């Protein structure tokens, strides 16, 4: 009986302690080229900062299973919507998306605007390429480490499995074809498909993404050697073994060819989004990596 009461008290205390500092806030920052970026925060304002960078057609909503995990609330969790996505601005010029420096500036702007001290960067899919852009432009003196999650290393044919019909549909001027392409792409993101409510929310999220951005991103060049290759902070890679959008083995081999110090983990039961498909395991690894950086 006493043990049961004690456990109940501990649960209540954990909930109360988390709720004291886990208030969410939203604000905007402006990149050097004038693009407004939507930023979100939760967790402990004094905790180790972690900046989450979502992938193509995503937004901060991709990180809900991290945002809602009580075990991660001791960290300062920061996300932002990439340019052309979510609540951030969507410029019409293709150069706003094809030039790596623009994406690098966005990360630097969020770091400065949030006043995050040596944050850990977490980049999913396209977000991995964004981290590499940041490293190539600014180096790693202002970050503590980087976690690539099914990250795009380079937009090279051997690293990106072909889905020509899906990608053609995504940039089609016909609305029905375009939306069907978005749905097909989103299905490819998961080996373990999310529940229907979550999928429909992510599909609506994908429909917000700029068409011009989707047309321009494939022409983007990732300066891997000058970025990831020069990183001296700890870098980890996580891939889902059943990823259908990025080739884990080829991508990881290429990343290690420029930076042999990379640590890597393969999630056997995940596709392109292990942080959604195996969130408990992912969150434990994320927390352990963030703690090690401290």
């Amino acid at each position: 009986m006493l043990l049961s009461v004690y456990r109940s008290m501990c649960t209540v205390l954990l909930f109360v302690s988390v709720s004291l500092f886990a208030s969410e806030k939203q604000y905007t920052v402006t990149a050097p080229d004038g693009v407004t970026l939507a930023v979100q925060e939760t967790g402990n304002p004094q905790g180790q900062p972690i900046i989450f960078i979502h992938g193509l057609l995503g937004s901060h909503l991709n990180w809900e299973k991290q945002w809602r995990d009580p075990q991660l609330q001791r960290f300062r969790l920061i996300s932002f919507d990439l340019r052309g996505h979510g609540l951030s601005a969507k410029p019409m010029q293709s150069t706003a998306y094809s030039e790596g420096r623009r994406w690098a500036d966005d990360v630097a702007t969020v770091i400065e605007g949030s006043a995050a001290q040596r944050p850990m960067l977490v980049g999913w899919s396209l977000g991995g390429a964004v981290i590499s852009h940041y490293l190539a432009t600014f180096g790693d003196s202002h970050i503590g480490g980087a976690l690539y999650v099914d990250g795009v290393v380079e937009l090279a044919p051997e690293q990106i499995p072909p889905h020509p019909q899906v990608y053609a549909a995504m940039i089609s001027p016909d609305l029905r074809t375009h939306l069907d392409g978005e749905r097909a792409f989103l299905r490819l993101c998961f080996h373990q498909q999310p529940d229907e409510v979550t999928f429909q929310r992510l599909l609506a999220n994908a429909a917000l993404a700029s068409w011009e951005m989707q047309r321009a991103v494939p022409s983007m060049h990732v300066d891997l050697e000058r970025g990831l290759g020069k990183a001296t902070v700890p870098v980890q890679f996580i891939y889902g073994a059943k990823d259908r959008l990025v080739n884990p083995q080829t991508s990881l081999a290429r990343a290690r060819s420029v930076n042999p110090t990379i640590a890597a983990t393969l999630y056997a039961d995940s596709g392109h989004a292990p942080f959604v498909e195996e969130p408990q395991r992912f969150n434990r690894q994320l927390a352990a990596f963030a703690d090690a950086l401290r």
Side-chain angles (χ1 to χ4, degrees):
M1 177 66 178
L2 288 175
L3 181 59
S4 177
V5 171
Y6 175 74
R7 286 175 174 170
S8 297
M9 289 177 62
C10 287
T11 301
V12 171
L13 287 172
L14 175 62
F15 175 80
V16 171
S17 62
V18 166
S19 64
L20 286 176
F21 55 73
S23 58
E24 296 186 14
K25 66 176 182 177
Q26 301 185 22
Y27 53 95
T28 61
V29 295
T30 304
D33 64 355
V35 173
T36 302
L37 304 170
V39 184
Q40 310 80 30
E41 290 198 32
T42 192
N44 180 1
Q46 274 68 55
Q48 165 74 18
I50 304 174
I51 296 179
F52 295 86
I53 309 169
H54 64 79
L56 184 67
L57 305 189
S59 78
H60 63 281
L61 295 180
N62 290 118
W63 306 108
E64 293 249 307
K65 292 186 181 294
Q66 287 64 58
W67 236 238
R68 306 304 175 198
D69 188 339
Q71 301 305 313
L72 295 181
Q73 291 300 311
R74 58 195 174 88
F75 301 106
R76 183 184 175 194
L77 307 179
I78 305 168
S79 64
F80 71 100
D81 294 350
L82 289 170
R83 57 178 54 220
H85 295 80
L87 298 177
S88 290
K90 300 170 178 64
M92 297 299 294
Q93 305 86 356
S94 62
T95 53
Y97 307 107
S98 60
E99 297 175 354
R101 174 63 190 252
R102 311 282 187 121
W103 303 92
D105 284 340
D106 290 352
V107 178
T109 299
V110 171
I111 293 174
E112 181 180 2
S114 64
Q117 299 298 309
R118 294 187 62 80
M120 169 183 168
L121 301 182
V122 180
W124 172 47
S125 192
L126 174 62
V130 172
I131 292 177
S132 293
H133 288 316
Y134 173 81
L135 291 170
T137 305
F138 296 100
D140 60 9
S141 62
H142 293 292
I143 66 171
L147 174 60
Y148 288 64
V149 187
D150 289 76
V152 170
V153 175
E154 292 170 314
L155 292 168
E158 64 273 14
Q159 298 176 35
I160 308 296
H163 299 284
Q165 292 181 327
V166 174
Y167 290 123
M170 287 166 62
I171 59 174
S172 170
D174 178 72
L175 183 59
R176 182 190 299 274
T177 303
H178 170 75
L179 293 176
D180 287 347
E182 309 286 76
R183 181 185 296 107
F185 177 85
L186 193 59
R187 285 296 185 197
L188 288 170
C189 285
F190 306 102
H191 170 65
Q192 299 184 51
Q193 294 292 320
D195 63 85
E196 193 59 24
V197 172
T198 299
F199 183 83
Q200 292 301 328
R201 183 183 299 119
L202 295 178
L203 181 58
N205 192 44
L208 291 174
S210 159
W211 290 13
E212 189 59 51
M213 177 274 301
Q214 294 175 64
R215 295 186 183 100
V217 160
S219 65
M220 182 174 65
H221 170 70
V222 181
D223 192 348
L224 195 66
E225 287 82 0
R226 199 161 59 93
L228 182 61
K230 296 294 180 64
T232 59
V233 296
V235 178
Q236 289 191 12
F237 273 58
I238 292 175
Y239 279 109
K242 296 178 172 64
D243 193 329
R244 291 183 287 173
L245 292 173
V246 174
N247 186 311
Q249 291 77 18
T250 307
S251 298
L252 183 59
R254 175 61 177 140
R256 280 179 163 161
S257 74
V258 300
N259 189 335
T261 67
I262 291 170
T265 307
L266 202 64
Y267 283 33
D269 296 322
S270 285
H272 191 58
F275 59 97
V276 175
E277 299 173 69
E278 298 183 67
Q280 293 182 338
R281 179 185 180 187
F282 178 86
N283 291 352
R284 286 195 302 270
Q285 185 169 350
L286 174 68
F289 188 29
D291 284 334
L293 296 180
R294 297 173 62 185

